[in-house]
Amino acid sequence: MLSGGSDGVIVLYDLENSSRQPYYTCKAVCSIGRNHPDVHKYSVETVQWYPHDTGMFTSSSFDKTLKVWDTNTLQTADVFTFEETVYSHHMSPVSTKHCLVAGSFGTKGPKVQLCDLKSGSCSHILQGHRQEILAVSWSPRHDYILATASADSRVKLWDVRRASGCLITLDQHNGKKSQAVESANTAHNGKVNGLCYTSDGLHLLTVGTDNRMRLWNSSNGENTLVNYGKVCNDSRKGLKFTVSCGCSSEFVFVPYGSTIAIYTVYSGELITMLKGHYKSVDCCVFQSNFQELYSGGRDSSILAWVPPSYEPVPDDDEPTTKSQLNRAFEDAWSSSDEEG
């Protein structure tokens, strides 16, 4: 696992639990420390493996650079330097047709810069937001569709092959004219500082400083109006949240102060709050192979979370405690034998 810190340091961890104990500490395999000649000068905001090969990874920082690293040598293979702070970046998890990295930028001229790893140059710019762009995410379903979230309360979907601007600007009111004019064509009533596609790419989740999370149909931009209640969000920069993959119900994991809230994606039900960090949680990521969640906080710790296979169910009629399979481990399919 890759992690980036506010001190500019990048650390690689071995996630395997060789001790086979329920509580264990992951070992750091190697790091790009303060003494490394190419270390980031300021906070690392995003790290990401190259989607098709772990021999390469990328990092971006408040030092106005996006760096491409060779994992084996821990040396930079390429460095993109910009005039503004890089709030976040993302590479498409599915694309085999392009090697574009989308980087989001800030206050002087809000824009998304597309950097081509094959040519080593910045290919083109997406403009349309009025304030800094805090989050970007490629669709896991379509090679050229990109979502952007901004402090201007707007979320835009782009086809990066088109020069004529964005495809859709998400509207929380779904185009109803009766709503206030100032909130027309806005996704939130505050800064939008996080977005995440569902694993199938059919829906898009957004979070904002209005303490709301919204679920959108990614093909037509419709607000599905799922109510998650208050989702506390006072982050001044991008908030990285995640969704499950491979579970019978899809869950969304959202940093919520010093805890992580787990909701069912399509019903909005709050399942539980994960407590373990001592300070605010900035990011979390789901690992589908292990069915594990990892969270990073301002307490300088990264925690790994595993759902228990079985959880106790109190029964009023019997003094003994039964167990039922945790919902995250339920099969999403049934065989014809079971049906018969």
Side-chain angles (χ1 to χ4, degrees):
M1 180 176 66
L2 285 167
S3 79
S6 59
D7 55 359
V9 171
I10 296 171
V11 184
L12 282 76
Y13 291 96
D14 181 358
L15 297 179
E16 186 176 3
N17 179 10
S18 54
S19 71
R20 298 288 179 258
Q21 298 299 314
Y23 301 99
Y24 61 98
T25 301
C26 293
K27 294 177 181 177
V29 179
C30 54
S31 66
I32 299 166
R34 294 306 311 164
N35 295 325
H36 193 287
D38 296 322
V39 68
H40 282 291
K41 294 189 177 86
Y42 304 123
S43 174
V44 176
E45 292 302 296
T46 310
V47 285
Q48 187 186 1
W49 292 107
Y50 180 60
H52 308 296
D53 181 2
T54 54
M56 187 167 77
F57 65 90
T58 53
S59 63
S60 60
S61 164
F62 278 175
D63 65 7
K64 304 179 182 179
T65 64
L66 167 69
K67 297 187 178 187
V68 183
W69 300 86
D70 182 318
T71 310
N72 298 308
T73 64
L74 291 186
Q75 302 297 315
T76 51
D78 208 345
V79 178
F80 296 88
T81 304
F82 306 100
E83 296 177 359
E84 291 207 62
T85 296
V86 189
Y87 284 100
S88 71
H89 78 268
H90 193 228
M91 288 179 284
S92 171
V94 295
S95 180
T96 55
K97 298 174 182 175
H98 67 75
C99 286
L100 296 174
V101 183
S104 63
F105 298 88
T107 47
K108 295 176 188 173
K111 62 178 181 281
V112 174
Q113 186 98 47
L114 299 178
C115 303
D116 191 338
L117 295 184
K118 286 183 178 177
S119 66
S121 63
C122 294
S123 57
H124 55 294
I125 291 170
L126 305 176
Q127 290 181 307
H129 285 291
R130 297 172 187 172
Q131 295 182 46
E132 60 266 33
I133 298 159
L134 299 173
V136 290
S137 181
W138 292 96
S139 165
R141 195 174 185 86
H142 303 288
D143 283 19
Y144 294 100
I145 301 299
L146 179 73
T148 59
S150 170
D152 65 6
S153 304
R154 288 171 170 79
V155 174
K156 293 178 180 287
L157 302 183
W158 314 74
D159 182 335
V160 299
R161 297 168 297 184
R162 289 171 43 138
S164 56
C166 74
L167 293 173
I168 304 172
T169 299
L170 301 185
D171 180 7
Q172 59 182 306
H173 305 302
N174 287 332
K176 291 180 181 176
K177 297 285 193 293
S178 60
Q179 304 299 331
V181 175
E182 60 268 16
S183 65
N185 285 328
T186 58
H188 288 263
N189 297 320
K191 295 181 179 181
V192 191
N193 58 355
L195 42 74
C196 179
Y197 277 96
T198 54
S199 55
D200 59 11
L202 293 175
H203 291 86
L204 178 70
L205 285 149
T206 61
V207 292
T209 56
D210 57 356
N211 295 326
R212 289 287 178 263
M213 179 162 64
R214 296 204 162 92
L215 180 71
W216 309 82
N217 182 319
S218 61
S219 61
N220 61 14
E222 182 183 11
N223 181 1
T224 63
L225 304 177
V226 172
N227 182 11
Y228 300 95
K230 181 180 179 180
V231 182
C232 185
N233 177 359
D234 57 3
S235 178
R236 296 179 182 177
K237 53 184 183 178
L239 192 72
K240 292 180 169 62
F241 67 106
T242 190
V243 292
S244 65
C245 181
C247 299
S248 57
S249 299
E250 280 209 66
F251 302 100
V252 54
F253 307 90
V254 190
Y256 194 113
S258 63
T259 66
I260 300 147
I262 305 179
Y263 300 88
T264 52
V265 170
Y266 299 108
S267 70
E269 179 188 357
L270 176 62
I271 300 298
T272 191
M273 307 284 278
L274 302 179
K275 299 176 182 177
H277 287 280
Y278 297 104
K279 292 184 180 179
S280 292
V281 180
D282 283 327
C283 58
C284 53
V285 64
F286 189 78
Q287 219 285 8
S288 58
N289 293 339
F290 299 159
Q291 290 291 299
E292 289 184 359
L293 177 76
Y294 304 95
S295 60
R298 295 182 193 177
D299 54 4
S300 302
S301 63
I302 299 172
L303 301 182
W305 307 84
V306 187
S309 298
Y310 285 86
E311 52 190 20
V313 179
D315 193 320
D316 295 335
D317 300 328
E318 298 178 22
T320 56
T321 301
K322 294 180 179 180
S323 289
Q324 73 172 6
L325 192 63
N326 186 297
R327 288 167 64 181
F329 286 96
E330 292 175 3
D331 281 334
W333 59 275
S334 61
S335 68
S336 55
D337 294 340
E338 290 173 339
E339 289 170 350

